[in-house]
Structure formats: C-alpha cells, structure tokens
C-alpha cells in the first residue's frame, strides 16, 4: 500500500518542505547555466524543491528500469518455457518442420542439448506436471497399447513413426482399413506391406487375389503368400512362385524350408513340376528339387540330373544314391540340413 502512494507522498512532502523553507528564508539565488548565458533567479526554497524532485525522478527512473528489466526477463523466460515445451512435444511426435528459437541463455543451452537427442517416452509413463506433455504421454501409451488415436488432434506428421503405428493399430483392428493403403502411392512401403500381410492373414481368397498384384513383394510377403498357397487358400502359377522367390532372393536354405513345408500337402505331380520349374530358373532351388525326387523315389531322374552337375557338388545326393545302391535306406531328411 505504501508503494502505491509513494510518488504522491514525495511530491506533497517536497512542496511542504519548499513552503517551510520559503517562510524561513524568502531570499533568491541566481544561477547561470554552464557554457551558456542563461541565468535563473529563483527563491532558495524553489531550488531546494527542484533538487528534491530531480533526485526523486531519477530514483523513479531507476526503480522503473529495474522493474522493467525483471518484467522483460520473466517474460522472456515464460516465452522460452513455452517454446521449450513445444520443442519437447515436437521431439515426441517427430515433427521437424518448426523453427523454434530460444532466447535466454539457460534455455538456449538446454535446447541445444535436447536437439542432439531423439526423445521417446516410457510406455507406461503418464505422470507429468505439464498438462500438454501429460496428454502426449497418455497418447503415446495408448498407441503402444494398440489403440487408435486422432493423429490430427496431436498434430502428428505423416512422416512420424507414431503416425505409422496408429495406422497399423487401425489395420490390426480390421484388415479392411488397410485396403485403400495398398493402392495408395502416398503411403510408405512399410504401411502398404503391413496392410497386405493383414489382408493375407484375414481376407478370403477372392479378396487376396484382387490385391495381390498391387504391391511389390519382399521376403516377408513372399513367405506369407507361400504359406497360404500351401494351405490351398490361393493359387499361384509356377512362374509366379519362381519370380516371387527370386525377387525375395531365396537362398538354398529358403528353398529347402519351402519344399519341406509342402511335403504331403501338394499333389505329387504338382510338387514335381513346381520344384523342377524353380530349379530350372534358380540354381539355389536345385537342392530342393533333388529332395522332391528322392522323397518320391524317382532315383533315375535324380541320377540323370546329377550327371549335369560337377562331381564335387551335391555330395549329400550322391551319398544317398550310393547307400540306396548298396541296399540301405535312410530317411531323406537326414541328407538335407
């Protein structure tokens, strides 16, 4: 309350002091300004009041400057706090298109440190004093738990892994949510692949056939398609199977696993034709084709095909045939590891 009336009090006291001095001594005092011809002749009491008021106004200026400095400093800290919180939020949602500048030295230093790291919240961490960050933590926890959120509410960019995870959560709930993504060129391959695998695992054969030419196949998609082919859910031509396996860069081990997984599930004639075609088009499938021939006791065909191979290759096949010729029989799988 005192500070509220402080200026008025000084003004009144100065005026009263001037009147008091004037009553005691009403003489005048003449003063000439330095480096000029200006001369002022005023009562001594008035000179005293002027000096008091001058010091008073100088004091007011210093007080105002100090308070203004503190106000500007606090305001800068307040603004930097908002900017810093936004930086942290952007780190969480992986947004990089905002140019946020910190102005105070403390926040600048902390901001420079934060810029060197990627920030990922703990999945179960939802407690935070800052309300904005707390909402993001809850959102992050929900996403990691498989829930679908409104990405636009949190301003999550499409380039963010959180956006990708949200789309995956949507597809996991219903594979049909991913059907538009498979055909849309604007989505990254990771999402198109996720949507297509969900389609393979959940959709009827007709729907799979409708979309199977809408995406390029990698190893994982190829394995999933081969699995449902083995189950009889879809049909694939020998050329389609061969192209898929070669594009997925199947190794000898991959072909061997494939042939073993089809054992007893395909018609013998179809089994032979598929792996003969694969072997004719990819040398990595040769060993798998020999597996078919030996399993079906087509020893003459195996010997004939073996003659075209170098003597130092396919020693497992040669050993099997030698044992057969000696009248000994062993499970085929022992020779194919």
């Amino acid at each position: 309350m005192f500070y509220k009336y402080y200026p008025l009090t000084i003004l009144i006291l100065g005026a009263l002091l001037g009147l008091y001095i004037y009553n005691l001594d009403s003489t005048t005092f003449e003063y000439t300004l330095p480096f000029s011809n200006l001369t002022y002749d005023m009562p001594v009491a008035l000179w005293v009041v002027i000096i008091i008021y001058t010091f008073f106004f100088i004091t007011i200026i210093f007080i105002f400057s100090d308070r203004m400095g503190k106000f500007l400093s606090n305001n800068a800290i307040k603004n930097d706090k908002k900017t810093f919180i936004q930086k942290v939020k952007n780190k969480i949602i992986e947004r990089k298109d905002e140019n946020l500048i910190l102005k105070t030295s403390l926040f600048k230093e902390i901001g420079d440190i934060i810029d060197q790291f990627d920030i990922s919240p703990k999945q179960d961490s939802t407690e935070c004093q800052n309300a904005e960050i707390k909402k993001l933590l809850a959102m992050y926890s929900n996403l990691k738990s498989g829930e679908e959120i409104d990405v636009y509410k949190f301003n999550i960019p499409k380039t963010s892994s959180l956006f990708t995870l949200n789309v995956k959560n949507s597809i996991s709930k219903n594979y049909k949510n991913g059907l538009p993504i498979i055909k849309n060129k604007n989505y990254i391959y990771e999402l198109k692949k996720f949507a297509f695998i969900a389609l393979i695992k959940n959709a009827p054969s007709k729907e799979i056939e409708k979309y199977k030419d809408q995406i390029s196949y990698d190893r994982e998609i190829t394995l999933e398609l081969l699995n449902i082919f083995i189950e009889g859910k879809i049909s694939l031509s020998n050329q389609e199977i061969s192209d898929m396996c070669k594009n997925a860069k199947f190794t000898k081990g991959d072909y061997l696993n494939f042939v073993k997984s089809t054992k007893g599930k395909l018609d013998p004639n179809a089994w032979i034709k598929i792996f003969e075609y694969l072997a004719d088009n990819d040398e990595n499938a040769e060993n798998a084709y020999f597996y078919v021939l030996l399993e079906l006791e087509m020893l003459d065909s195996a010997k004939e095909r073996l003659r075209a191979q170098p003597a130092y290759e396919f020693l497992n096949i040669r050993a099997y045939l030698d044992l057969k010729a000696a009248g000994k029989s062993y499970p085929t799988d022992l020779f194919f590891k």
Side-chain angles (χ1 to χ4, degrees), residues 250-274:
F250 264 31
T251 63
K252 292 179 181 180
D254 292 327
Y255 280 113
L256 187 58
N257 289 334
F258 178 36
V259 73
K260 288 182 177 181
S261 66
T262 57
K263 180 180 176 180
K265 297 181 180 179
L266 297 176
D267 176 78
N269 289 329
W271 203 30
I272 294 169
K273 289 180 180 179
I274 289 173

Side-chain angles (χ1 to χ4, degrees), residues 9-23 45 49 52-53:
T9 302
I10 295 298
L11 291 174
I12 294 173
L13 289 176
L16 292 175
L17 180 62
L19 289 173
Y20 178 74
I21 294 173
Y22 185 78
N23 288 330
V49 172
I52 291 173
Y53 282 176

Side-chain angles (χ1 to χ4, degrees), residues 215-229:
I215 187 173
S216 60
Y217 300 160
D218 65 358
R219 176 183 174 79
E220 189 176 355
I221 290 178
T222 296
L223 291 173
E224 292 290 347
L225 281 173
L226 291 178
N227 283 336
I228 62 172
F229 165 74

Side-chain angles (χ1 to χ4, degrees), residues 290-297 299 302 317 320-321 332 336:
F290 276 121
Y291 180 90
V292 174
L293 295 177
L294 298 187
E295 271 291 313
L296 297 177
E297 294 289 331
L299 303 184
I317 313 299
Y320 181 91
L321 293 174
T332 311
F336 292 85

Side-chain angles (χ1 to χ4, degrees), residues 46-83:
L46 185 57
W47 283 111
V48 172
V49 172
I50 290 174
I51 293 172
I52 291 173
Y53 282 176
T54 299
F55 279 106
F56 167 68
F57 284 116
I58 291 174
T59 303
I60 291 296
I61 290 171
F62 276 114
I63 293 174
F64 177 79
S65 299
D66 181 63
R67 291 189 177 183
M68 180 58 70
K70 288 180 179 179
F71 171 79
L72 293 176
S73 177
N74 290 337
N75 195 53
I77 291 173
K78 184 178 179 181
N79 290 334
D80 268 7
K81 180 182 176 182
K82 290 181 180 179
T83 303

Side-chain angles (χ1 to χ4, degrees), residues 128-180:
C128 181
Q129 292 184 357
N130 184 274
E132 295 178 74
I133 299 296
K134 187 174 182 178
K135 287 181 182 179
L136 281 184
L137 293 178
M139 174 273 294
Y140 187 87
S141 181
N142 291 338
L143 268 179
K144 289 294 184 178
S145 299
E147 295 184 26
E148 186 180 358
I149 64 162
D150 182 0
V151 293
Y152 300 103
K153 176 182 176 181
F154 295 96
N155 200 24
I156 298 175
K158 289 186 176 181
T159 54
S160 170
S161 62
L162 299 184
F163 181 90
T164 301
L165 178 58
N166 191 56
V167 176
K168 287 181 178 180
N169 289 346
S170 174
I171 296 170
S172 295
K173 288 184 177 180
N174 188 341
Y175 78 90
K176 290 187 177 182
N177 292 335
L179 298 183

Side-chain angles (χ1 to χ4, degrees), residues 173-293:
K173 288 184 177 180
N174 188 341
Y175 78 90
K176 290 187 177 182
N177 292 335
L179 298 183
I181 295 174
I182 297 174
K183 291 183 176 182
N184 194 325
K185 296 180 180 179
N186 294 324
Y187 284 94
I188 59 175
Y189 181 76
E190 180 185 352
L191 283 178
K192 295 165 73 70
K193 172 182 170 179
F194 189 90
F196 189 70
I197 290 178
L199 170 74
I200 293 172
K201 292 181 176 179
N202 299 286
S205 56
K206 287 184 178 180
E207 200 161 22
I208 296 173
E209 292 284 350
K210 180 180 177 182
Y211 285 90
K212 74 176 185 179
D213 296 326
Q214 300 294 324
I215 187 173
S216 60
Y217 300 160
D218 65 358
R219 176 183 174 79
E220 189 176 355
I221 290 178
T222 296
L223 291 173
E224 292 290 347
L225 281 173
L226 291 178
N227 283 336
I228 62 172
F229 165 74
I230 295 168
E231 295 168 1
K233 194 173 181 180
I234 62 168
S235 60
L236 294 171
S237 68
N238 293 346
Q239 183 176 348
E240 284 180 314
I241 296 173
S242 177
D243 290 343
M244 287 165 52
C245 292
K246 284 194 293 184
N247 288 337
K249 298 180 180 179
F250 264 31
T251 63
K252 292 179 181 180
D254 292 327
Y255 280 113
L256 187 58
N257 289 334
F258 178 36
V259 73
K260 288 182 177 181
S261 66
T262 57
K263 180 180 176 180
K265 297 181 180 179
L266 297 176
D267 176 78
N269 289 329
W271 203 30
I272 294 169
K273 289 180 180 179
I274 289 173
F275 283 93
E276 182 180 14
Y277 189 91
L278 291 176
D280 288 342
N281 287 275
D282 189 349
E283 61 181 12
N284 284 335
E286 194 72 40
N287 196 45
Y289 181 45
F290 276 121
Y291 180 90
V292 174
L293 295 177

